[in-house]
Amino acid sequence: MIKASQIFFAVFFFALSSHAFELTSGLTPPKMQKVMLSYSGLFHDKSDFPQERASTSYQTMNFIAPVYKTDGEAVSLSLSGSQFSIRPAQNNFSELYDMQVGLGYTKALDEQRLWSVSARYGSASDKPFEDSTVTTLGITAFYSYPSDETSRWLLLVDYSNNRPILNEIPLPGFAYFYAPSKTFRGVFGVPFASVNWDYAEKWGLEVFTLVPWVFKGSINYKLNEYARIYTGLDFSQVTYYLYGRANRNDRLFYDEKKVFLGIKSPLSKSVFAELEAGHAFDRAFFVDENYTTDPKNPVDIGNAFYGKVTLRFIL
């Protein structure tokens, strides 16, 4: 039977955001929860801005650790931070931050069933924690149980005041985990889905989506027992609350698409690394209450090449 612990491996390699880190921990049986740390740095070459050419970077760090655990329950603490930088500054605008602290609780009902709840508090803004208009809040609760020997279900409810769409609305969701063999692991549900499929001896496919506008897909080739090279595309956004905005429901969106080529490999039993290079395009900032594919008055940014490094630690 597919075990709750197998879910950890299905989502860990996508767990770069603080929310994903907490989901990964909450889906792991209490006795198996470990300290996890990740760093990701993405650095764009200079490109055209309305004022002058500038370079951008986006760096994130996530940490989560069980502060109490037994065979049946665990309490975890999470910390995360990200920085979006523009150099040189454009109209005195140069930095955006997203910082969060979270607390989670996981309870195993038996060897196959568990439930978890996590809460997050932080700030995503050009002036983080300046006042209550730039704070972020989130709560996620879910219950996971087996379906048969190769599958299990996840039922969840999520609230966030910084979600790209349907903001500040508690949203129910579900996911169906299917792992019929060592070469295929799939998660199919709402609002996220992923597939990890080794469809040939040395070839694999990885797809992750967070409905409706986040997508990352790649094809990889196994060089040896440890290293894989990969290529693919990525559509994603980040959101912030600008301090002093006239409409409190407005948010600043940064939207971009990427094509990339990279290599990933474990450096040890507890350290995983990725190096990636690519081309970012269709880049823009815009202000709106919810994400839209056709924003009004976007600030378009020129295409740019980029380099990225990612490190993940399981301690």
Side-chain angles (χ1 to χ4, degrees), residues 121-137:
Y121 170 79
S123 183
S125 179
D126 54 332
K127 294 184 178 181
F129 300 105
E130 189 73 18
D131 63 21
S132 61
T133 67
V134 297
T135 59
T136 59
L137 298 170

Side-chain angles (χ1 to χ4, degrees), residues 110-176:
D110 53 37
E111 289 296 322
Q112 299 295 331
R113 298 180 301 137
L114 60 82
W115 64 268
S116 181
V117 61
S118 63
R120 306 170 298 282
Y121 170 79
S123 183
S125 179
D126 54 332
K127 294 184 178 181
F129 300 105
E130 189 73 18
D131 63 21
S132 61
T133 67
V134 297
T135 59
T136 59
L137 298 170
I139 300 175
T140 304
F142 56 80
Y143 169 63
S144 178
Y145 65 95
S147 176
D148 55 35
E149 294 295 321
T150 60
S151 63
R152 61 186 300 115
W153 285 96
L154 174 73
L155 307 177
L156 65 91
V157 176
D158 177 76
Y159 167 84
S160 173
N161 74 336
N162 195 24
R163 191 188 292 126
I165 64 169
L166 301 176
N167 202 33
E168 297 187 286
I169 300 174
L171 292 180
F174 69 91
Y176 177 70

Side-chain angles (χ1 to χ4, degrees), residues 20 101 105 137 250 277 291:
V101 59
Y105 176 77
L137 298 170
D250 277 344
Y291 180 79

Side-chain angles (χ1 to χ4, degrees), residues 23-38:
L23 179 64
T24 302
S25 179
L27 286 170
T28 306
K31 62 183 179 181
M32 297 184 64
Q33 291 190 16
K34 297 181 179 181
V35 176
M36 293 187 293
L37 173 68
S38 80

